[in-house]
Amino acid sequence: MSDHHTDNLKENSAQTGNGHRRAKVILIAAGLGIWAAALIIYWFFTTPSDAFGYGLFFLYLLLPATIFAFSFIAGKNDFWGRFKWIAAFCCGAMFMLAEYGTYSASYMAFWGKFKEPEWILLAAGTAISLTGLSLGVLLRRLRLRSKYRRIRPLKGTDGNETNIDNRR
């Protein structure tokens, strides 16, 4: 193997590692950005009459869809290895804190009373995330299984078994 070929292999390997790391950063930044935007929109761009529409759109549509998509992509790409399951709890906490940082904070500011977070939202967000992670991992395993089934030992022209990659 020539030195030029080995250098190209090392360079491609480094680029793939950087791409994987970049994808993780983009995924986390997008999730946190949508979460932060939901809180900013609530506090700066809604009126009391908009609260119902805000809750429907952000707390029951956009944030759960974001959590599911985040988890699905993390599971499909096997981000963080076996520690990816911890992300489900983090997503659940973010879901709970979205409600706590909006409706509960408004209640506490208006009435001057402390209100505990809605702990059921932690479980709901975690369940949404676990569903996305599980489906992502399942898709990844099915794709890997079908990839390895395509490679099968065949008899060569000389009668010996050879592995031929039939992916193309």
Side-chain angles (χ1 to χ4, degrees), residues 51 75 113 117 121 159:
K113 296 180 181 179
L121 293 176

Side-chain angles (χ1 to χ4, degrees), residues 11-123:
E11 184 178 316
N12 288 341
S13 172
Q15 287 174 353
T16 304
N18 288 339
H20 200 67
R21 191 174 311 119
R22 188 178 309 123
K24 287 183 205 178
V25 170
I26 290 171
L27 187 65
I28 291 171
L32 289 175
I34 292 170
W35 181 78
L39 281 119
I40 290 169
I41 288 171
Y42 178 81
W43 284 107
F44 295 110
F45 300 108
T46 59
T47 62
S49 63
D50 297 334
F52 183 71
Y54 171 86
L56 283 177
F57 181 71
F58 282 99
L59 297 180
Y60 294 107
L61 181 68
L62 186 64
L63 288 177
T66 302
I67 289 171
F68 182 84
F70 173 90
S71 301
F72 181 80
I73 292 169
K76 184 178 77 72
N77 295 328
D78 197 30
F79 289 161
W80 306 292
R82 63 182 174 174
F83 296 108
K84 67 180 157 280
W85 301 102
I86 295 172
F89 179 76
C90 296
C91 288
M94 284 181 56
F95 188 63
M96 177 190 67
L97 290 174
E99 189 276 336
Y100 193 68
T102 54
Y103 291 129
S104 295
S106 294
Y107 174 86
M108 290 186 287
F110 184 77
W111 293 104
K113 296 180 181 179
F114 176 75
K115 182 179 177 187
E116 281 194 36
E118 297 287 334
W119 297 107
I120 193 71
L121 293 176
L122 176 68

